[in-house]
């Protein structure tokens, strides 16, 4: 009888150990974040060097899989020679609207998730009245 009790206790320990191992494996699969740093955001509009004849500008880009949010920035006239940063925002969708005065602008967007981000995709455009 003593042998049976020892075997039962050993079996309980083995089962507990297996349960712990499987729970760690399952948790690792759940919290793994996909590396998006090699991907590139594809801009739809405004395209590079475009001229827009309306003050209402809608910035649009294609979604990137495994992205949680996008960082969007708009500067005038360029980021290197910025006299003003007009937009610096984080959004979950793939478009953003802003009314702008007639001027030269540069805009950029990058995809982000909890661990990774892409490089910025940058385009220049002009708003004319």
């Amino acid at each position: 009888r003593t042998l049976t009790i020892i075997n039962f206790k050993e079996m309980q320990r083995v089962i507990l150990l297996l349960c712990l191992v499987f729970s760690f494996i399952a948790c690792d699969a759940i919290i793994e974040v996909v590396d998006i740093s090699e991907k590139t955001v594809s801009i739809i509009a405004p395209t590079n060097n475009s001229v827009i004849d309306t003050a209402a500008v809608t910035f649009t880009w294609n979604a990137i899989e495994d992205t949680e949010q996008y960082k969007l920035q708009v500067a005038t006239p360029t980021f290197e020679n910025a006299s003003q940063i007009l937009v610096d925002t984080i959004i979950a969708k793939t478009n953003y609207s802003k009314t702008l005065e007639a001027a030269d602008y540069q805009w950029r967007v990058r995809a982000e998730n909890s661990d990774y981000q892409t490089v910025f995709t940058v385009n220049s455009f002009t708003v004319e009245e």
Side-chain angles (χ1 to χ4, degrees):
R1 285 185 181 255
T2 306
L3 186 60
T4 306
I5 292 172
I6 293 172
N7 286 338
F8 181 71
K9 285 185 178 183
E10 286 180 19
M11 186 179 284
Q12 281 181 321
R13 287 184 189 147
V14 169
I15 290 172
L16 179 61
L17 181 63
L18 287 172
C19 287
L20 288 172
V21 168
F22 286 126
S23 66
F24 284 125
I25 292 170
C27 288
D28 185 46
I30 291 171
I31 60 173
E32 186 175 329
V33 178
V34 176
D35 183 355
I36 61 170
S37 62
E38 297 298 319
K39 297 182 180 181
T40 303
V41 177
S42 174
I43 288 177
I44 298 172
T47 56
N48 202 33
N49 299 319
S50 61
V51 178
I52 301 169
D53 61 0
T54 180
V57 180
T58 300
F59 301 92
T60 310
W61 56 93
N62 288 313
I64 289 185
E65 192 174 341
D66 302 309
T67 296
E68 296 168 4
Q69 61 195 23
Y70 298 90
K71 181 165 185 76
L72 171 71
Q73 297 177 323
V74 180
T76 185
T78 66
F79 287 102
E80 286 184 8
N81 299 312
S83 62
Q84 196 172 18
I85 303 293
L86 301 164
V87 176
D88 187 4
T89 189
I90 304 269
I91 57 175
K93 54 188 181 172
T94 58
N95 60 62
Y96 180 86
S97 295
K98 175 84 175 160
T99 301
L100 299 172
E101 296 178 6
D104 292 327
Y105 296 93
Q106 200 169 55
W107 75 287
R108 62 188 182 187
V109 62
R110 75 176 179 208
E112 301 178 343
N113 63 27
S114 62
D115 291 350
Y116 302 98
Q117 62 192 28
T118 66
V119 296
F120 278 107
T121 301
V122 183
N123 272 357
S124 298
F125 68 99
T126 302
V127 174
E128 290 184 347
E129 288 187 27

